[in-house]
Amino acid sequence: MELPLLKDADVKGKRVLVRFDYNVPLKGEKVVDDTRLKESLPTIKYLLEGHAKVIIMSHLGRPRGKAVPEMRLDAVAEHLSELLHKDVEKVNDCVGGEIKAVAESLNEGEILMLENLRFHSEEEANDEGFAKQLAELAEIYVNDAFGVSHRANASVVAITKFLPSYAGLLLQKEVETLSKLIDKAKRPFVAVLGGAKVSDKIGVIRKLAEKADYLLIGGAMMFTFLKSEGKEVGRSLVENEKLEVANSLLNEEVILPVDAVFAETADSSETEVVSVDSMPKDKKGLDIGPKTVEIFSEKISSAKTILWNGPMGVFESEPFSKGTFELGKAITFSGATTILGGGDTIAAMERAGLKEKFTFVSTGGGAMLEFLEGKELPALAALKGKK
Ligand code: ADP
Ligand code: MG
């Protein structure tokens, strides 16, 4: 890999500024899902064992350039402190003279957490002056925030101009796993795509149609593909402006559902399973049907590598969750190398109790899609430029 790696840095006695993606759900003063905090522990522990002084930064939510009390990182600092059994000092800003003084007073093995970076609009503007102020707090910079690496933000791009910069352990693993998937996946390689919109994922659909042996399509996006073949899809979610592109992507390796679960709305419990050749005009398709689950499961059972992004149906509502949950079972029982991505897909697998059974769960939703598509992520390009 061409990225400069944390394990090649000399961190002993140094102030190391680490960017994590701690954009976690909060409820009042509590962190509701601490997955991202837990995933950052290896890098933090590595730095502590290496006698570094650790300064952590992150964004949370969309405060749009001003301090929003509910988006402060205090609850995150407290939760991290519990996970580490160690004090985490939290300050109320991320730049300025006072913050600099606190950073300079850190001892080896101590941890400081800065305030939400997005309280300053300069963060998302990739402002160099702001990046320089952040850089003045430390001697080494580490990016461990794959989930924001597709954004040209000051804390992941501009900052690399001012400090020796490295990829953290999580970022490294994420990039290595996804690179391997694209360049040397064990075959058969089956990609499963679903979710709300074709337009969100068109780039990755195109890439996977080329790289994977089979591309299984479910979720709302299936209806755009089915309609592009001239089928009646009723009131299902369709992107009419994507019909042509969708049609151009179809080939023998792209497998579309043969049946679907239809209903009045996502709240109705009255459902009907129909063939895709007789979808009712006055109803919506909200899940893949049982025959489709069978066909998809068969492809999955013979795969050596499986990538999954996007739920097969409106899994949030019980009558339409079967397709997603059954595929989750098939994928995790396949014995293949399995990679799971996408905020909603991960949430679905968590709910099904299957998340831990995947070989790798990618933390970056949009970043993962852009990476798989073959786009150069700005933050990774910035790090590579340092090597
Ligand atoms: P991810 O976050 O995993 O990338 P997306 O955000 O693309 O996934 O899509 C997830 C959403 O798609 C879910 O909220 C789900 O309810 C919705 N969805 C899936 N299938 C359908 C469908 N047939 N009709 C409407 N919405 C659907
Ligand atoms: Mg989503």
Side-chain angles (χ1 to χ4, degrees):
M1 183 161 64
E2 314 135 75
L3 290 172
L5 302 177
L6 172 56
K7 57 176 193 279
D8 297 323
D10 178 14
V11 300
K12 192 172 189 307
K14 302 256 175 65
R15 274 171 285 128
V16 181
L17 180 59
V18 196
R19 173 62 151 109
F20 288 118
D21 182 2
Y22 283 164
N23 186 24
V24 296
L26 294 181
K27 202 173 211 168
E29 314 269 276
K30 286 274 165 251
V31 173
V32 188
D33 179 354
D34 66 358
T35 309
R36 288 181 173 176
L37 293 172
K38 286 186 177 144
E39 281 164 345
S40 73
L41 297 179
T43 291
I44 298 176
K45 287 180 178 160
Y46 178 88
L47 289 170
L48 293 175
E49 279 159 22
H51 304 281
K53 306 166 182 178
V54 183
I55 306 173
I56 294 173
M57 59 179 170
S58 177
H59 75 285
L60 180 91
R62 293 167 184 244
R64 300 189 188 281
K66 56 180 196 309
V68 176
E70 310 82 71
M71 294 182 195
R72 290 200 176 278
L73 285 171
D74 296 70
V76 174
E78 204 164 297
H79 197 100
L80 181 65
S81 163
E82 281 164 26
L83 291 176
L84 285 165
H85 308 290
K86 194 171 168 48
D87 279 342
V88 174
E89 188 179 358
K90 161 73 181 39
V91 283
N92 285 325
D93 203 346
C94 56
V95 288
E98 263 177 58
I99 308 300
K100 201 173 165 199
V102 178
E104 276 165 3
S105 71
L106 280 179
N107 294 310
E108 284 178 19
E110 287 183 343
I111 306 175
L112 172 66
M113 192 180 297
L114 306 180
E115 187 54 275
N116 192 341
L117 293 161
R118 289 193 186 166
F119 286 0
H120 295 261
S121 60
E122 294 91 337
E123 161 66 356
E124 288 185 277
N126 197 25
D127 182 86
E128 288 207 359
F130 179 68
K132 189 157 182 273
Q133 278 187 291
L134 288 172
E136 279 167 7
L137 304 175
E139 295 146 289
I140 289 174
Y141 165 71
V142 174
N143 179 351
D144 218 12
F146 181 72
V148 284
S149 291
H150 60 317
R151 310 248 180 247
N153 287 357
S155 66
V156 290
V157 176
I159 193 161
T160 60
K161 292 201 175 146
F162 304 106
L163 285 175
S165 304
Y166 301 91
L169 303 180
L170 180 60
L171 182 73
Q172 180 190 346
K173 191 167 155 206
E174 193 102 29
V175 169
E176 281 174 354
T177 305
L178 296 179
S179 303
K180 198 169 149 205
L181 178 70
I182 281 299
D183 298 333
K184 30 186 182 286
K186 275 205 203 127
R187 296 186 178 274
F189 170 19
V190 173
V192 184
L193 286 179
K197 289 190 187 160
V198 175
S199 51
D200 287 346
K201 300 184 179 173
I202 198 82
V204 86
I205 297 172
R206 187 171 280 135
K207 186 77 174 188
L208 291 171
E210 171 195 314
K211 292 275 176 186
D213 297 296
Y214 291 105
L215 176 54
L216 316 179
I217 294 190
M221 65 165 74
M222 70 190 248
F223 298 104
T224 299
F225 284 94
L226 291 168
K227 186 170 178 184
S228 84
E229 292 186 314
K231 292 190 168 37
E232 166 67 54
V233 298
R235 289 171 36 239
S236 308
L237 210 61
V238 165
E239 288 167 276
N240 285 311
E241 61 302 340
K242 294 290 169 209
L243 291 173
E244 225 169 288
V245 207
N247 193 260
S248 74
L249 290 169
L250 291 175
N251 64 36
E252 327 64 276
E253 289 156 12
V254 177
I255 319 275
L256 294 178
V258 297
D259 59 354
V261 183
F262 270 69
E264 217 46 74
T265 68
D267 300 320
S268 49
S269 49
E270 220 168 283
T271 64
E272 80 181 287
V273 173
V274 299
S275 147
V276 294
D277 293 313
S278 56
M279 294 187 267
K281 271 204 170 84
D282 55 341
K283 290 184 179 165
K284 277 183 180 174
L286 295 162
D287 195 8
I288 56 173
K291 279 214 186 81
T292 305
V293 169
E294 220 174 280
I295 293 168
F296 282 10
S297 299
E298 203 183 299
K299 292 283 182 228
I300 285 166
S301 70
S302 62
K304 287 273 191 319
T305 308
I306 303 166
L307 167 74
W308 184 15
N309 174 284
M312 293 293 103
V314 182
F315 72 94
E316 297 92 336
S317 174
E318 199 275 331
F320 313 106
S321 63
K322 252 194 210 122
T324 302
F325 289 3
E326 292 298 317
L327 273 206
K329 279 185 215 156
I331 291 171
T332 52
F333 284 124
S334 66
T337 299
T338 53
I339 294 162
L340 176 68
D344 293 295
T345 321
I346 294 170
M349 287 303 96
E350 183 123 62
R351 196 181 300 178
L354 294 170
K355 193 181 110 181
E356 316 302 330
K357 296 196 157 67
F358 284 80
T359 315
F360 184 73
V361 179
S362 175
T363 57
M368 177 181 105
L369 294 178
E370 289 190 24
F371 188 91
L372 291 177
E373 218 178 293
K375 280 193 189 156
E376 169 109 294
L377 308 191
L380 300 186
L383 281 180
K384 282 177 191 165
K386 302 290 286 187
K387 212 180 167 178

